[in-house]
Amino acid sequence: EPEVTQTPSHQVTQMGQEVILRCVPISNHLYFYWYRQILGQKVEFLVSFYNNEISEKSEIFDDQFSVERPDGSNFTLKIRSTKLEDSAMYFCASKGQGTVNNQPQHFGDGTRLSIL
Amino acid sequence: GEDVEQSLFLSVREGDSSVINCTYTDSSSTYLYWYKQEPGAGLQLLTYIFSNMDMKQDQRLTVLLNKKDKHLSLRIADTQTGDSAIYFCAESTSGTYKYIFGTGTRLKVLA
């Protein structure tokens, strides 16, 4: 069964450094998402992406964050200047064609980001 | 704002049924989902239900939706040790792209 893959599985970065988290969504999917889960807390929506632009973003997704689909297969989340509070598990998800809600999102295994 | 709540822990004996409950506040929720997260792994989609349905059954899984009370439950029949995991419910609303997740329920299955 096709799956969403994320790399790396664990990223350790110094505070203030830039980090790029990578995702390969399921190949025929058109909607892409990033979520994060701070340890012990809920999974929170960050951003959705469709047709090469951001469809929706949360308050968390400020100017330090950006997303990109640089080619036909990758979907990346960049944090420009990391802060301690960015430490979390980051999940990528993708969804197939259809109306917005009638296809479920499929999630990757996540990237654990640790900011020192 | 939108909120989804779950109880934090559930412990059952192997072979018993498990019932994991979820409540949500958004009356315009259109789809409700159940995901399973095993240690160190991602979010695995288990099942989902459209808001105009009351019940959905898929092998050992039964989802019940009480839209009036905004209550969703997941019943796992004949629970096995491999079912031990964290179970998240999530809701989405027509016109938005995001899921709102619950806190997750940690299910522990005792042999």
Side-chain angles (χ1 to χ4, degrees):
Chain A
E1 184 176 328
E3 57 184 28
V4 176
T5 56
Q6 291 185 243
T7 55
S9 57
H10 192 189
Q11 174 80 45
V12 182
T13 301
Q14 290 288 332
M15 185 172 59
Q17 295 296 306
E18 175 183 285
V19 67
I20 297 176
L21 309 183
R22 301 181 191 280
C23 170
V24 178
I26 294 173
S27 63
N28 61 348
H29 283 186
L30 300 178
Y31 299 84
F32 313 111
Y33 309 82
W34 284 101
Y35 293 80
R36 79 171 185 191
Q37 184 182 30
I38 294 172
L39 188 64
Q41 297 186 23
K42 289 186 178 185
V43 177
E44 302 172 289
F45 169 78
L46 293 178
V47 66
S48 59
F49 191 86
Y50 171 71
N51 200 25
N52 284 320
E53 61 182 22
I54 290 174
S55 317
E56 187 174 359
K57 61 182 180 179
S58 71
E59 293 176 353
I60 303 166
F61 195 88
D62 61 23
D63 292 344
Q64 293 300 312
F65 290 86
S66 62
V67 289
E68 195 177 30
R69 189 154 163 82
D71 52 40
S73 59
N74 289 285
F75 179 52
T76 62
L77 174 70
K78 182 191 291 186
I79 308 174
R80 193 175 321 154
S81 177
T82 49
K83 304 187 280 287
L84 293 176
E85 53 264 38
D86 293 327
S87 295
M89 180 74 89
Y90 288 80
F91 291 106
C92 173
S94 68
K95 188 179 81 69
Q97 196 167 9
T99 61
V100 170
N101 285 332
N102 71 354
Q103 296 291 325
Q105 296 177 21
H106 295 263
F107 286 77
D109 283 346
T111 293
R112 181 169 298 283
L113 177 63
S114 300
I115 307 300
L116 304 179
Chain B
E2 309 126 328
D3 197 19
V4 179
E5 294 293 335
Q6 300 175 239
S7 53
L8 292 180
F9 299 101
L10 176 65
S11 181
V12 300
R13 295 214 170 270
E14 192 175 18
D16 289 350
S17 292
S18 308
V19 179
I20 302 170
N21 295 301
C22 172
T23 58
Y24 59 97
T25 58
D26 191 347
S27 56
S28 57
S29 295
T30 50
Y31 279 90
L32 296 127
Y33 307 84
W34 284 104
Y35 284 84
K36 176 184 180 183
Q37 185 181 34
E38 297 185 59
L43 298 166
Q44 175 195 352
L45 176 70
L46 290 177
T47 187
Y48 60 102
I49 187 167
F50 187 45
S51 60
N52 67 355
M53 298 168 65
D54 297 325
M55 187 184 88
K56 181 177 180 182
Q57 188 155 1
D58 184 0
Q59 299 182 338
R60 291 192 297 125
L61 305 179
T62 302
V63 179
L64 295 178
L65 175 60
N66 182 328
K67 198 173 179 187
K68 174 176 168 289
D69 293 338
K70 301 191 189 73
H71 182 265
L72 180 74
S73 68
L74 173 70
R75 179 176 180 269
I76 306 172
D78 187 24
T79 314
Q80 303 296 308
T81 54
D83 294 324
S84 293
I86 300 176
Y87 290 80
F88 291 93
C89 70
E91 62 97 7
S92 66
T93 304
S94 180
T96 184
Y97 295 85
K98 65 185 181 187
Y99 285 2
I100 304 295
F101 280 86
T103 48
T105 298
R106 184 179 295 275
L107 173 66
K108 185 172 181 180
V109 182
L110 305 172

